[in-house]
Amino acid sequence: VEKEFSLTYRFSTYQIASGSAVITYDPELFEVVNVTNGGLLNNKLADINTDLSGAVYISFVGTEYATKYEFVTVRFKTIKNVTKSSKITFKATELCDKDLNAISCSDYNTTANVVFDEAYVGDAPKMSISAEYNAANIYGSYSPPNLSSKVIFE
């Protein structure tokens, strides 16, 4: 929990002038820390939207090629203490070269494995136990003080 990891996405060609992509992930397991433009986006107008939980939306347009293959690097943080595997999917759409010729790109899946950390207590439920004893009814007119205890586990 609260461990960070990065995924860097690269294309096999730098001759991409415009397009869009979406990276989807399980919002119950991960949150996006930040997204960094790769060299492929140099001299291009790019919009990266991380406002919607569970997805990163990227659109870009340009008239020149950068000579770099790296598209973006996404830094994630784990937010739930469980043992679970989850897919993070990258899907590029509407990719075009400078002459507006379409470029196809297969989806790419990454399997992220989260492992339960027994030492982590940050999201463990807090527990409270309360007990009270009143002896007034046992002793008739004599009322000893009430006995009570309270234990809180945090």
Side-chain angles (χ1 to χ4, degrees), residues 6-24:
S6 295
L7 294 177
T8 298
Y9 295 96
R10 296 175 181 88
F11 288 111
S12 60
T13 181
Y14 63 83
Q15 296 180 337
I16 301 172
S18 63
S20 61
V22 62
I23 300 166
T24 55

Side-chain angles (χ1 to χ4, degrees), residues 36-140:
T36 306
N37 289 358
L40 186 125
L41 295 177
N42 288 349
N43 299 319
K44 292 181 175 67
L45 179 61
D47 178 58
I48 299 175
N49 184 341
T50 60
D51 291 340
L52 296 174
S53 182
V56 176
Y57 293 92
I58 306 161
S59 298
F60 64 99
V61 64
T63 57
E64 298 178 16
Y65 297 136
T67 56
K68 307 283 183 187
Y69 297 90
E70 293 81 19
F71 181 52
V72 294
T73 298
V74 183
R75 188 156 191 81
F76 292 95
K77 178 169 69 170
T78 58
I79 58 173
K80 194 169 188 183
N81 194 15
V82 295
T83 297
K84 189 173 182 181
S85 291
S86 181
K87 286 191 179 177
I88 299 173
T89 302
F90 175 88
K91 181 180 178 85
T93 58
E94 302 171 354
L95 298 178
C96 295
D97 64 14
K98 288 193 298 189
D99 298 322
L100 300 179
N101 296 309
I103 300 170
S104 64
C105 180
S106 300
D107 296 354
Y108 187 80
N109 291 306
T110 302
T111 300
N113 296 310
V114 179
V115 179
F116 182 78
D117 181 357
E118 291 184 24
Y120 180 76
V121 295
D123 60 356
K126 293 183 179 176
M127 181 191 221
S128 171
I129 300 173
S130 246
E132 189 170 304
Y133 173 73
N134 186 341
N137 292 332
I138 297 173
Y139 296 105

